[in-house]
Every structure is written in C-alpha cells, then in structure tokens.
Amino acid sequence: MAGRFEALPGGGAAVALDEVEISILRSLAVQLLELIGPGDEPAADADPLAALFSEGPGEPPSDPALRRLFPDAYGDDTEELREAASDFRRYTENDLRARKREDALVVVRALDSLPAGAEEGGGVLKLAPDESRAWLGTLNDLRLTIAARLEIADDEESERLYRLPDSDPRKPMVMAYLWLGMLQESLVETLMPS
C-alpha cells in the first residue's frame, strides 16, 4: 500500500503515507486554499436569498494557475461566445471556488486527523467514499496548478519533465507533479467499480 491508494471494504480508500508525504500534501493543500482564496462571495451576514443569487467575476483570472482551475466554459472565437463565457463564469465561479475550498479542507483535515506521532513516522490514512472524491478533486487541482506553473500544456511538454537534470530548479516541483499524478491514478483505480 505504501504510496498507493487501495480500496476499502464498503467503499473509500486507504493510503500509507510517510512523514514527508504528509507534510508535502498538507503544505500543497494549504497553498491551494490560499491560491483559490475566498472569491467574490457575499458577506457571512448577508441576506441568504441575495447570497444565493450573488454574481461572481465576469472575467477570467489573470493568474495562469487560476485560469487552469477556472477555465472559460466556451471558446472566445466570437463576441457572442465571450459574452456567454462571461455570463457562465459570473453565475458559477463562486460555487466552484467554494467546492474546491471544501475539497482542499477535507484533505487538510484528513491529514490532521492522523494519530499523534504520524508525522514522525507516517501512518495509514483511511478515507470514506465522500472524502475520497474530495481528495480526487484536490489532487487534480494540485496537478493543474503545478502544470500551469511549469507551463505544461500537453503530453509532449509533460514528457520533457522526465529528462530534467537534478540541478534544474524546477525538479522538486516536477517530482511533486509526477507523485501527485501517481496518487491520483491509484485513487481513481480504487474508486472505479469492479
């Protein structure tokens, strides 16, 4: 099980993580939370009905990683499609940000729930089915974010990462990207019906 998710009876998944893996995953999830930010959400004391119909941003984010996490729904080939994409973003992005935040918080809380001393030697993390799906979303978001930072747009660019020399300053980020991909793939396999 070391480093790979395995299915649990009755649904869910488990993975053995060492202290370094726990630390890296927690740090990346917290950084993702900071990147996603609160968005243009209404104040906590706002009228619930008004909050339900609040509008988000109409323009794509300027940060390439956020653009990857919150892409336009339609191409921008015509003015009509740009307007449709803007409208779609305005009415969906706040909810999407909230879901991504909730998923990342599930990851942080699961890592924090490992028994005391787990960070010193690692531990086995057991996830319920809903937690597994949240983890899958966050692992995907982390990979998309790192891909944007590494300027990976297609498989060909991804392949060149395997050949980076150890002296390349991007190497640690590349290793995290590849490791997250392996975790994500093993989690997908556990969630697939047999």
Side-chain angles (χ1 to χ4, degrees), residues 2 18 45 74 105 138 143-144 172:
D18 67 30
D45 60 347
Y74 311 104
L105 283 171
T138 296
R143 289 195 76 233
L144 288 171

Side-chain angles (χ1 to χ4, degrees), residues 63-86:
D63 183 310
L66 287 173
R67 272 197 313 274
R68 188 78 66 94
L69 292 174
F70 305 106
D72 276 334
Y74 311 104
D76 60 356
D77 296 342
T78 66
E79 183 64 30
E80 183 179 343
L81 286 177
R82 282 190 293 277
E83 286 178 29
S86 177

Side-chain angles (χ1 to χ4, degrees), residues 96-193:
L96 185 55
R97 278 183 188 268
R99 186 180 54 84
K100 288 180 181 297
R101 272 194 309 278
E102 289 168 14
D103 287 351
L105 283 171
V106 167
V107 170
V108 171
R109 289 179 183 133
L111 293 169
D112 287 349
S113 73
L114 286 171
E119 285 189 24
E120 295 160 9
V124 175
L125 182 68
K126 294 182 180 180
L127 303 173
D130 288 346
E131 292 173 312
S132 297
R133 285 186 286 282
W135 268 71
L136 189 58
T138 296
L139 289 172
N140 186 60
D141 290 344
L142 289 171
R143 289 195 76 233
L144 288 171
T145 300
I146 292 173
R149 297 292 187 237
L150 292 170
E151 299 177 351
I152 298 170
D154 57 36
D155 288 337
E156 188 175 300
E157 290 171 4
S158 181
E159 288 296 320
R160 72 178 161 78
L161 298 177
Y162 289 102
R163 297 184 296 277
L164 283 179
D166 289 342
S167 60
D168 192 303
R170 297 172 296 170
K171 190 71 171 198
M173 198 181 312
V174 167
M175 297 306 293
Y177 175 78
L178 297 173
W179 174 62
L180 290 168
M182 185 274 306
L183 278 177
Q184 183 181 17
E185 182 179 338
S186 71
L187 184 52
V188 166
E189 289 169 1
T190 67
L191 298 177
M192 297 293 288

